[in-house]
Amino acid sequence: MSRALLRSVLELRAPVTRLLPLSIRPTTTTAAAAPAAASVRFFNQTAQHIEPTTQPDPTIVANNASPPDSVRTLLPILAAQPGHYITLLIHGRPYLVTQGDSIRLPFKMPGVEPGDVLRLNRASVLGSRDFTLKGAPHVDERLYECRAVVTGTESEPLRVKIKKKRRCRRKKTVKSKHRYTMLRVSELRIREEAVHES
């Protein structure tokens, strides 16, 4: 390959950078940089003027290692309020439920039969009307008791898909009918032993 041809191929591959005329070429001035500096200064000033609130935060943040004093003082109040809710994690998927709710899992859980009772011990949030216990990343399983009953399996309607390629006289029919496990939350309570210990 000659050098001229090689040079032309390399020029085609390289990005074209053309210089603009001096009248069109953008210039960096202090006026253009001033709004960015002003916005940075504005955020810094707002960050400096934020003062911590002196009112107690009603949100409880739970640490599995050592619960702070706010958890010890507010856990009995959380247990005394009726109507608890919980955000369960089943195979990494969150489900916000209360006692008596039904859950349809997006898969068929292996090894369970209708009537089995499952203890669900992975939760990220546990709360009532006024208080919320947030886990980091999970709420300690010694603080609550959540059980679900397997009510059975549901199946979706039969789906039929015809797979075919163009200019080919063959077609293939694929049928799918997925089944899902149904759960019902039968028990949700904060353990009395955890309240007395706190």
Side-chain angles (χ1 to χ4, degrees), residues 102-126:
S102 294
I103 308 171
R104 190 184 86 162
L105 301 178
F107 55 89
K108 185 180 179 184
M109 187 178 284
V112 297
E113 295 180 357
D116 290 351
V117 179
L118 306 176
R119 181 166 182 262
L120 304 172
N121 59 355
R122 281 291 175 96
S124 59
V125 173
L126 173 65

mmCIF file of all heavy atoms in Angstrom, residues 102-126:
data_model
loop_
_atom_site.group_PDB
_atom_site.id
_atom_site.type_symbol
_atom_site.label_atom_id
_atom_site.label_comp_id
_atom_site.label_asym_id
_atom_site.label_seq_id
_atom_site.Cartn_x
_atom_site.Cartn_y
_atom_site.Cartn_z
ATOM 1 N N SER A 102 -52.552 -10.732 50.929
ATOM 2 C CA SER A 102 -52.129 -11.860 50.094
ATOM 3 C C SER A 102 -51.021 -11.396 49.158
ATOM 4 O O SER A 102 -51.049 -10.274 48.651
ATOM 5 C CB SER A 102 -53.301 -12.403 49.283
ATOM 6 O OG SER A 102 -54.271 -12.965 50.131
ATOM 7 N N ILE A 103 -50.061 -12.267 48.928
ATOM 8 C CA ILE A 103 -48.927 -11.987 48.065
ATOM 9 C C ILE A 103 -48.901 -13.042 46.969
ATOM 10 O O ILE A 103 -48.988 -14.235 47.251
ATOM 11 C CB ILE A 103 -47.589 -12.021 48.833
ATOM 12 C CG1 ILE A 103 -47.630 -11.129 50.068
ATOM 13 C CG2 ILE A 103 -46.431 -11.641 47.934
ATOM 14 C CD1 ILE A 103 -46.415 -11.293 50.959
ATOM 15 N N ARG A 104 -48.799 -12.593 45.740
ATOM 16 C CA ARG A 104 -48.569 -13.519 44.633
ATOM 17 C C ARG A 104 -47.127 -13.369 44.196
ATOM 18 O O ARG A 104 -46.742 -12.336 43.640
ATOM 19 C CB ARG A 104 -49.506 -13.238 43.460
ATOM 20 C CG ARG A 104 -49.436 -14.344 42.416
ATOM 21 C CD ARG A 104 -50.291 -14.024 41.226
ATOM 22 N NE ARG A 104 -49.529 -13.200 40.286
ATOM 23 C CZ ARG A 104 -49.851 -13.040 39.021
ATOM 24 N NH1 ARG A 104 -50.932 -13.595 38.544
ATOM 25 N NH2 ARG A 104 -49.118 -12.283 38.238
ATOM 26 N N LEU A 105 -46.322 -14.374 44.467
ATOM 27 C CA LEU A 105 -44.914 -14.321 44.096
ATOM 28 C C LEU A 105 -44.780 -14.490 42.590
ATOM 29 O O LEU A 105 -45.580 -15.198 41.970
ATOM 30 C CB LEU A 105 -44.141 -15.436 44.813
ATOM 31 C CG LEU A 105 -44.196 -15.408 46.344
ATOM 32 C CD1 LEU A 105 -43.425 -16.584 46.909
ATOM 33 C CD2 LEU A 105 -43.631 -14.119 46.883
ATOM 34 N N PRO A 106 -43.805 -13.839 41.965
ATOM 35 C CA PRO A 106 -43.657 -13.952 40.510
ATOM 36 C C PRO A 106 -42.958 -15.239 40.069
ATOM 37 O O PRO A 106 -42.384 -15.301 38.996
ATOM 38 C CB PRO A 106 -42.823 -12.726 40.154
ATOM 39 C CG PRO A 106 -42.036 -12.458 41.370
ATOM 40 C CD PRO A 106 -42.893 -12.854 42.530
ATOM 41 N N PHE A 107 -43.022 -16.282 40.897
ATOM 42 C CA PHE A 107 -42.414 -17.567 40.568
ATOM 43 C C PHE A 107 -43.112 -18.632 41.407
ATOM 44 O O PHE A 107 -43.887 -18.316 42.316
ATOM 45 C CB PHE A 107 -40.905 -17.552 40.859
ATOM 46 C CG PHE A 107 -40.571 -17.165 42.268
ATOM 47 C CD1 PHE A 107 -40.482 -18.117 43.275
ATOM 48 C CD2 PHE A 107 -40.346 -15.837 42.606
ATOM 49 C CE1 PHE A 107 -40.187 -17.756 44.571
ATOM 50 C CE2 PHE A 107 -40.050 -15.474 43.897
ATOM 51 C CZ PHE A 107 -39.977 -16.436 44.882
ATOM 52 N N LYS A 108 -42.842 -19.859 41.101
ATOM 53 C CA LYS A 108 -43.353 -20.971 41.902
ATOM 54 C C LYS A 108 -42.269 -21.373 42.888
ATOM 55 O O LYS A 108 -41.186 -21.796 42.492
ATOM 56 C CB LYS A 108 -43.744 -22.148 41.021
ATOM 57 C CG LYS A 108 -44.383 -23.279 41.807
ATOM 58 C CD LYS A 108 -44.777 -24.439 40.924
ATOM 59 C CE LYS A 108 -45.382 -25.539 41.770
ATOM 60 N NZ LYS A 108 -45.693 -26.737 40.945
ATOM 61 N N MET A 109 -42.560 -21.215 44.171
ATOM 62 C CA MET A 109 -41.564 -21.505 45.193
ATOM 63 C C MET A 109 -41.386 -23.013 45.319
ATOM 64 O O MET A 109 -42.361 -23.745 45.500
ATOM 65 C CB MET A 109 -42.000 -20.902 46.533
ATOM 66 C CG MET A 109 -40.949 -21.003 47.609
ATOM 67 S SD MET A 109 -41.464 -20.224 49.152
ATOM 68 C CE MET A 109 -41.270 -18.516 48.733
ATOM 69 N N PRO A 110 -40.163 -23.484 45.202
ATOM 70 C CA PRO A 110 -39.965 -24.936 45.282
ATOM 71 C C PRO A 110 -39.996 -25.437 46.722
ATOM 72 O O PRO A 110 -39.608 -24.743 47.658
ATOM 73 C CB PRO A 110 -38.573 -25.131 44.657
ATOM 74 C CG PRO A 110 -37.872 -23.841 44.916
ATOM 75 C CD PRO A 110 -38.921 -22.769 44.898
ATOM 76 N N GLY A 111 -40.483 -26.651 46.895
ATOM 77 C CA GLY A 111 -40.435 -27.321 48.191
ATOM 78 C C GLY A 111 -41.504 -26.905 49.176
ATOM 79 O O GLY A 111 -41.383 -27.206 50.357
ATOM 80 N N VAL A 112 -42.552 -26.211 48.744
ATOM 81 C CA VAL A 112 -43.636 -25.831 49.645
ATOM 82 C C VAL A 112 -44.940 -26.413 49.126
ATOM 83 O O VAL A 112 -45.116 -26.630 47.922
ATOM 84 C CB VAL A 112 -43.761 -24.296 49.790
ATOM 85 C CG1 VAL A 112 -42.519 -23.715 50.416
ATOM 86 C CG2 VAL A 112 -44.026 -23.628 48.453
ATOM 87 N N GLU A 113 -45.850 -26.656 50.052
ATOM 88 C CA GLU A 113 -47.170 -27.175 49.730
ATOM 89 C C GLU A 113 -48.213 -26.293 50.380
ATOM 90 O O GLU A 113 -47.914 -25.576 51.355
ATOM 91 C CB GLU A 113 -47.313 -28.621 50.230
ATOM 92 C CG GLU A 113 -46.378 -29.599 49.534
ATOM 93 C CD GLU A 113 -46.541 -31.002 50.053
ATOM 94 O OE1 GLU A 113 -47.353 -31.199 51.001
ATOM 95 O OE2 GLU A 113 -45.856 -31.903 49.534
ATOM 96 N N PRO A 114 -49.455 -26.316 49.877
ATOM 97 C CA PRO A 114 -50.516 -25.515 50.507
ATOM 98 C C PRO A 114 -50.716 -25.903 51.963
ATOM 99 O O PRO A 114 -50.785 -27.076 52.316
ATOM 100 C CB PRO A 114 -51.751 -25.840 49.669
ATOM 101 C CG PRO A 114 -51.202 -26.237 48.340
ATOM 102 C CD PRO A 114 -49.900 -26.924 48.621
ATOM 103 N N GLY A 115 -50.757 -24.901 52.832
ATOM 104 C CA GLY A 115 -50.888 -25.122 54.270
ATOM 105 C C GLY A 115 -49.595 -24.953 55.035
ATOM 106 O O GLY A 115 -49.625 -24.865 56.270
ATOM 107 N N ASP A 116 -48.467 -24.896 54.351
ATOM 108 C CA ASP A 116 -47.187 -24.695 55.028
ATOM 109 C C ASP A 116 -47.110 -23.274 55.583
ATOM 110 O O ASP A 116 -47.596 -22.323 54.972
ATOM 111 C CB ASP A 116 -46.016 -24.929 54.072
ATOM 112 C CG ASP A 116 -45.854 -26.392 53.705
ATOM 113 O OD1 ASP A 116 -46.541 -27.236 54.316
ATOM 114 O OD2 ASP A 116 -45.047 -26.677 52.803
ATOM 115 N N VAL A 117 -46.483 -23.148 56.760
ATOM 116 C CA VAL A 117 -46.304 -21.845 57.405
ATOM 117 C C VAL A 117 -44.844 -21.451 57.256
ATOM 118 O O VAL A 117 -43.944 -22.197 57.651
ATOM 119 C CB VAL A 117 -46.717 -21.893 58.891
ATOM 120 C CG1 VAL A 117 -46.496 -20.540 59.541
ATOM 121 C CG2 VAL A 117 -48.172 -22.323 59.030
ATOM 122 N N LEU A 118 -44.602 -20.279 56.688
ATOM 123 C CA LEU A 118 -43.247 -19.775 56.484
ATOM 124 C C LEU A 118 -42.994 -18.612 57.419
ATOM 125 O O LEU A 118 -43.853 -17.742 57.584
ATOM 126 C CB LEU A 118 -43.069 -19.306 55.040
ATOM 127 C CG LEU A 118 -43.412 -20.304 53.932
ATOM 128 C CD1 LEU A 118 -43.259 -19.639 52.583
ATOM 129 C CD2 LEU A 118 -42.522 -21.523 54.008
ATOM 130 N N ARG A 119 -41.818 -18.606 58.040
ATOM 131 C CA ARG A 119 -41.412 -17.457 58.856
ATOM 132 C C ARG A 119 -40.544 -16.570 57.990
ATOM 133 O O ARG A 119 -39.473 -16.988 57.536
ATOM 134 C CB ARG A 119 -40.648 -17.902 60.098
ATOM 135 C CG ARG A 119 -40.240 -16.730 60.968
ATOM 136 C CD ARG A 119 -39.784 -17.172 62.343
ATOM 137 N NE ARG A 119 -39.457 -16.009 63.141
ATOM 138 C CZ ARG A 119 -38.212 -15.541 63.323
ATOM 139 N NH1 ARG A 119 -37.199 -16.155 62.761
ATOM 140 N NH2 ARG A 119 -37.995 -14.474 64.062
ATOM 141 N N LEU A 120 -41.012 -15.360 57.763
ATOM 142 C CA LEU A 120 -40.306 -14.409 56.904
ATOM 143 C C LEU A 120 -39.457 -13.498 57.792
ATOM 144 O O LEU A 120 -39.992 -12.714 58.570
ATOM 145 C CB LEU A 120 -41.309 -13.596 56.089
ATOM 146 C CG LEU A 120 -42.278 -14.439 55.250
ATOM 147 C CD1 LEU A 120 -43.350 -13.580 54.635
ATOM 148 C CD2 LEU A 120 -41.544 -15.217 54.184
ATOM 149 N N ASN A 121 -38.143 -13.638 57.684
ATOM 150 C CA ASN A 121 -37.244 -12.935 58.600
ATOM 151 C C ASN A 121 -36.368 -11.896 57.914
ATOM 152 O O ASN A 121 -35.407 -11.426 58.509
ATOM 153 C CB ASN A 121 -36.356 -13.946 59.342
ATOM 154 C CG ASN A 121 -35.529 -14.776 58.387
ATOM 155 O OD1 ASN A 121 -35.676 -14.667 57.179
ATOM 156 N ND2 ASN A 121 -34.671 -15.612 58.934
ATOM 157 N N ARG A 122 -36.683 -11.517 56.682
ATOM 158 C CA ARG A 122 -35.931 -10.465 56.008
ATOM 159 C C ARG A 122 -36.877 -9.308 55.739
ATOM 160 O O ARG A 122 -37.840 -9.453 54.995
ATOM 161 C CB ARG A 122 -35.360 -10.963 54.673
ATOM 162 C CG ARG A 122 -34.103 -11.806 54.808
ATOM 163 C CD ARG A 122 -32.942 -10.962 55.266
ATOM 164 N NE ARG A 122 -31.761 -11.747 55.529
ATOM 165 C CZ ARG A 122 -30.789 -11.921 54.662
ATOM 166 N NH1 ARG A 122 -30.875 -11.373 53.479
ATOM 167 N NH2 ARG A 122 -29.740 -12.630 54.964
ATOM 168 N N ALA A 123 -36.609 -8.189 56.356
ATOM 169 C CA ALA A 123 -37.442 -6.999 56.165
ATOM 170 C C ALA A 123 -36.546 -5.770 56.197
ATOM 171 O O ALA A 123 -35.541 -5.730 56.916
ATOM 172 C CB ALA A 123 -38.506 -6.913 57.246
ATOM 173 N N SER A 124 -36.931 -4.769 55.424
ATOM 174 C CA SER A 124 -36.171 -3.523 55.403
ATOM 175 C C SER A 124 -36.863 -2.414 56.185
ATOM 176 O O SER A 124 -36.202 -1.503 56.664
ATOM 177 C CB SER A 124 -35.951 -3.060 53.961
ATOM 178 O OG SER A 124 -37.201 -2.872 53.315
ATOM 179 N N VAL A 125 -38.202 -2.487 56.343
ATOM 180 C CA VAL A 125 -38.962 -1.446 57.043
ATOM 181 C C VAL A 125 -40.031 -2.132 57.870
ATOM 182 O O VAL A 125 -40.674 -3.075 57.424
ATOM 183 C CB VAL A 125 -39.612 -0.455 56.048
ATOM 184 C CG1 VAL A 125 -40.523 0.517 56.772
ATOM 185 C CG2 VAL A 125 -38.562 0.303 55.272
ATOM 186 N N LEU A 126 -40.206 -1.642 59.102
ATOM 187 C CA LEU A 126 -41.281 -2.088 59.984
ATOM 188 C C LEU A 126 -41.844 -0.847 60.637
ATOM 189 O O LEU A 126 -41.095 -0.041 61.197
ATOM 190 C CB LEU A 126 -40.746 -3.061 61.046
ATOM 191 C CG LEU A 126 -41.701 -3.496 62.150
ATOM 192 C CD1 LEU A 126 -42.850 -4.300 61.586
ATOM 193 C CD2 LEU A 126 -40.964 -4.298 63.205
#
